[in-house]
Amino acid sequence: MYQSDIVSARKVAEGAYQIVNDRMSEGICNLIDIAYPNHDGVQDPEVIADMMLLRDTLQSLSMACDIWTKQLTEVIQLDGENQ
């Protein structure tokens, strides 16, 4: 890994955060409208499947972010231990 990889990863992470933040700001009502397009209590199975996949991907991303955050923190804190 190079410094340019770190900068690139940060930019990608910022973009992903912006997408997630934008979608979250739309609120749950928008998700319900998409899941129940006819407002008749019947879910659109394709939309629900896509939502399940997105949920799983976001959960995996969250776990990966936690791991990488811990690794970065450990490396950053090494300087303080060496002084």
Side-chain angles (χ1 to χ4, degrees), residues 28-77:
I28 194 167
C29 290
N30 192 336
L31 291 173
I32 291 171
D33 285 342
I34 296 168
Y36 299 89
N38 298 321
H39 302 278
D40 58 0
V42 177
Q43 292 179 335
D44 180 324
E46 288 185 42
V47 172
I48 295 302
D50 286 339
M51 285 182 173
M52 291 171 73
L53 289 171
L54 177 58
R55 179 194 59 194
D56 293 347
T57 300
L58 289 172
Q59 182 63 35
S60 296
L61 180 60
S62 174
M63 292 169 59
C65 286
D66 286 344
I67 292 168
W68 206 9
T69 299
K70 287 176 186 172
Q71 290 177 349
L72 289 167
T73 300
E74 287 176 12
V75 171
I76 292 166
Q77 291 176 344

Side-chain angles (χ1 to χ4, degrees), residues 1-10 68 72:
M1 180 178 283
Y2 301 98
Q3 182 179 2
S4 60
D5 297 323
I6 293 169
V7 172
S8 176
R10 181 185 52 80
W68 206 9
L72 289 167

